[in-house]
Short mmCIF file of all heavy atoms in Angstrom, two decimals:
data_model
loop_
_atom_site.label_atom_id
_atom_site.label_comp_id
_atom_site.label_asym_id
_atom_site.label_seq_id
_atom_site.Cartn_x
_atom_site.Cartn_y
_atom_site.Cartn_z
N ILE A 23 50.92 98.95 -6.61
CA ILE A 23 51.12 97.82 -7.53
C ILE A 23 52.00 98.24 -8.70
O ILE A 23 52.90 97.50 -9.11
CB ILE A 23 49.78 97.25 -8.02
CG1 ILE A 23 48.91 96.78 -6.84
CG2 ILE A 23 50.01 96.09 -8.99
CD1 ILE A 23 49.54 95.75 -5.95
N THR A 25 54.29 100.51 -8.72
CA THR A 25 55.65 100.65 -8.20
C THR A 25 56.30 99.29 -8.00
O THR A 25 57.47 99.08 -8.34
CB THR A 25 55.64 101.44 -6.88
OG1 THR A 25 55.05 102.72 -7.10
CG2 THR A 25 57.05 101.61 -6.34
N LYS A 26 55.53 98.34 -7.46
CA LYS A 26 56.06 96.99 -7.25
C LYS A 26 56.45 96.33 -8.56
O LYS A 26 57.45 95.59 -8.63
CB LYS A 26 55.03 96.13 -6.50
CG LYS A 26 54.90 96.46 -5.02
CD LYS A 26 53.89 95.54 -4.35
CE LYS A 26 53.82 95.80 -2.84
NZ LYS A 26 55.07 95.39 -2.15
N ARG A 27 55.71 96.59 -9.61
CA ARG A 27 56.02 95.97 -10.90
C ARG A 27 57.36 96.44 -11.45
O ARG A 27 57.95 95.77 -12.31
CB ARG A 27 54.91 96.25 -11.91
CG ARG A 27 53.61 95.47 -11.64
CD ARG A 27 52.64 95.61 -12.81
NE ARG A 27 51.33 95.02 -12.51
CZ ARG A 27 51.03 93.73 -12.67
NH1 ARG A 27 51.95 92.89 -13.13
NH2 ARG A 27 49.81 93.29 -12.38
N LEU A 28 57.86 97.56 -10.98
CA LEU A 28 59.15 98.07 -11.44
C LEU A 28 60.32 97.26 -10.91
O LEU A 28 61.37 97.18 -11.55
CB LEU A 28 59.32 99.54 -11.02
CG LEU A 28 58.31 100.54 -11.58
CD1 LEU A 28 58.55 101.92 -10.98
CD2 LEU A 28 58.38 100.60 -13.11
N THR A 29 60.13 96.64 -9.75
CA THR A 29 61.24 95.92 -9.11
C THR A 29 60.93 94.46 -8.80
O THR A 29 61.82 93.70 -8.44
CB THR A 29 61.63 96.62 -7.79
OG1 THR A 29 60.48 96.71 -6.93
CG2 THR A 29 62.17 98.02 -8.05
N GLU A 30 59.66 94.06 -8.92
CA GLU A 30 59.26 92.69 -8.60
C GLU A 30 58.52 92.10 -9.81
O GLU A 30 58.01 92.82 -10.65
CB GLU A 30 58.28 92.67 -7.40
CG GLU A 30 58.82 93.30 -6.13
CD GLU A 30 57.72 93.47 -5.08
OE1 GLU A 30 56.57 93.06 -5.33
OE2 GLU A 30 58.02 94.03 -4.02
N THR A 31 58.47 90.77 -9.85
CA THR A 31 57.60 90.09 -10.81
C THR A 31 56.25 89.92 -10.14
O THR A 31 56.14 89.24 -9.11
CB THR A 31 58.18 88.74 -11.22
OG1 THR A 31 59.47 88.95 -11.82
CG2 THR A 31 57.27 88.05 -12.23
N VAL A 32 55.23 90.55 -10.71
CA VAL A 32 53.89 90.53 -10.12
C VAL A 32 52.95 89.78 -11.07
O VAL A 32 52.98 89.99 -12.27
CB VAL A 32 53.38 91.97 -9.88
CG1 VAL A 32 51.92 91.96 -9.42
CG2 VAL A 32 54.26 92.68 -8.85
N TYR A 33 52.14 88.91 -10.50
CA TYR A 33 51.14 88.17 -11.29
C TYR A 33 49.74 88.56 -10.83
O TYR A 33 49.54 88.87 -9.66
CB TYR A 33 51.32 86.65 -11.10
CG TYR A 33 52.65 86.13 -11.57
CD1 TYR A 33 53.41 85.31 -10.74
CD2 TYR A 33 53.16 86.44 -12.83
CE1 TYR A 33 54.64 84.81 -11.17
CE2 TYR A 33 54.37 85.94 -13.26
CZ TYR A 33 55.11 85.13 -12.42
OH TYR A 33 56.32 84.65 -12.83
N PRO A 34 48.75 88.51 -11.73
CA PRO A 34 48.89 88.28 -13.16
C PRO A 34 49.43 89.54 -13.86
O PRO A 34 49.60 90.58 -13.21
CB PRO A 34 47.45 87.99 -13.59
CG PRO A 34 46.61 88.77 -12.65
CD PRO A 34 47.34 88.72 -11.34
N PRO A 35 49.69 89.47 -15.17
CA PRO A 35 50.09 90.67 -15.90
C PRO A 35 49.06 91.78 -15.73
O PRO A 35 47.87 91.50 -15.51
CB PRO A 35 50.15 90.19 -17.36
CG PRO A 35 50.32 88.71 -17.28
CD PRO A 35 49.62 88.27 -16.03
N TYR A 61 47.64 82.47 -8.29
CA TYR A 61 48.79 81.57 -8.28
C TYR A 61 50.07 82.39 -8.46
O TYR A 61 50.08 83.37 -9.21
CB TYR A 61 48.68 80.54 -9.41
CG TYR A 61 47.51 79.58 -9.25
CD1 TYR A 61 46.44 79.60 -10.13
CD2 TYR A 61 47.50 78.66 -8.22
CE1 TYR A 61 45.37 78.74 -9.98
CE2 TYR A 61 46.44 77.76 -8.06
CZ TYR A 61 45.39 77.81 -8.94
OH TYR A 61 44.32 76.93 -8.79
N HIS A 62 51.13 81.99 -7.80
CA HIS A 62 52.34 82.80 -7.76
C HIS A 62 53.48 82.22 -8.59
O HIS A 62 54.63 82.64 -8.44
CB HIS A 62 52.78 83.03 -6.30
CG HIS A 62 52.91 81.76 -5.51
ND1 HIS A 62 54.04 80.99 -5.53
CD2 HIS A 62 52.03 81.11 -4.71
CE1 HIS A 62 53.86 79.93 -4.76
NE2 HIS A 62 52.64 79.98 -4.24
N GLY A 63 53.17 81.24 -9.45
CA GLY A 63 54.20 80.67 -10.31
C GLY A 63 54.15 81.26 -11.70
O GLY A 63 53.14 81.83 -12.13
N PHE A 64 55.23 81.11 -12.44
CA PHE A 64 55.35 81.67 -13.78
C PHE A 64 54.24 81.15 -14.70
O PHE A 64 53.99 79.97 -14.79
CB PHE A 64 56.71 81.32 -14.39
CG PHE A 64 56.85 81.75 -15.82
CD1 PHE A 64 57.08 83.08 -16.15
CD2 PHE A 64 56.72 80.81 -16.84
CE1 PHE A 64 57.20 83.46 -17.47
CE2 PHE A 64 56.84 81.19 -18.17
CZ PHE A 64 57.07 82.52 -18.48
N GLY A 65 53.58 82.08 -15.40
CA GLY A 65 52.65 81.73 -16.45
C GLY A 65 51.35 81.10 -16.01
O GLY A 65 50.59 80.58 -16.84
N THR A 120 46.40 90.55 -6.94
CA THR A 120 47.77 90.44 -7.42
C THR A 120 48.63 89.73 -6.38
O THR A 120 48.24 89.61 -5.21
CB THR A 120 48.40 91.83 -7.71
OG1 THR A 120 48.30 92.64 -6.53
CG2 THR A 120 47.70 92.52 -8.88
N VAL A 121 49.81 89.28 -6.82
CA VAL A 121 50.73 88.58 -5.92
C VAL A 121 52.15 88.71 -6.47
O VAL A 121 52.34 88.80 -7.69
CB VAL A 121 50.33 87.09 -5.76
CG1 VAL A 121 50.57 86.31 -7.08
CG2 VAL A 121 51.04 86.43 -4.61
N GLU A 122 53.14 88.71 -5.59
CA GLU A 122 54.54 88.69 -6.02
C GLU A 122 54.95 87.25 -6.32
O GLU A 122 54.52 86.32 -5.63
CB GLU A 122 55.45 89.27 -4.94
CG GLU A 122 56.91 89.35 -5.36
CD GLU A 122 57.81 89.90 -4.27
OE1 GLU A 122 57.30 90.46 -3.28
OE2 GLU A 122 59.05 89.76 -4.42
N GLU A 123 55.76 87.07 -7.34
CA GLU A 123 56.21 85.73 -7.72
C GLU A 123 56.80 84.99 -6.53
O GLU A 123 57.67 85.49 -5.83
CB GLU A 123 57.24 85.83 -8.84
CG GLU A 123 57.71 84.46 -9.36
CD GLU A 123 58.67 84.58 -10.51
OE1 GLU A 123 59.49 85.53 -10.53
OE2 GLU A 123 58.62 83.72 -11.41
N GLY A 124 56.31 83.78 -6.33
CA GLY A 124 56.85 82.91 -5.28
C GLY A 124 56.50 83.29 -3.86
O GLY A 124 57.00 82.66 -2.92
N LYS A 125 55.63 84.27 -3.69
CA LYS A 125 55.30 84.73 -2.34
C LYS A 125 53.78 84.83 -2.16
O LYS A 125 53.20 85.91 -2.31
CB LYS A 125 55.94 86.09 -2.05
CG LYS A 125 57.47 86.06 -2.06
CD LYS A 125 58.05 87.42 -1.71
CE LYS A 125 59.58 87.40 -1.70
NZ LYS A 125 60.15 88.73 -1.39
N SER A 128 51.47 87.86 -0.56
CA SER A 128 52.37 88.99 -0.42
C SER A 128 51.69 90.34 -0.65
O SER A 128 52.20 91.37 -0.22
CB SER A 128 53.55 88.85 -1.40
OG SER A 128 53.10 88.58 -2.71
N HIS A 129 50.53 90.35 -1.32
CA HIS A 129 49.81 91.60 -1.53
C HIS A 129 48.55 91.70 -0.67
O HIS A 129 47.64 92.45 -0.96
CB HIS A 129 49.48 91.79 -3.00
CG HIS A 129 50.69 92.04 -3.84
ND1 HIS A 129 50.64 92.30 -5.19
CD2 HIS A 129 52.02 92.12 -3.52
CE1 HIS A 129 51.86 92.50 -5.66
NE2 HIS A 129 52.71 92.39 -4.66
#
Side-chain angles (χ1 to χ4, degrees):
I23 301 302
T25 302
K26 285 181 176 293
R27 287 190 187 275
L28 298 175
T29 57
E30 303 170 2
T31 300
V32 174
Y33 298 130
Y61 294 113
H62 52 84
F64 174 77
T120 56
V121 69
E122 183 181 348
E123 183 177 35
K125 296 182 179 179
S128 50
H129 290 183

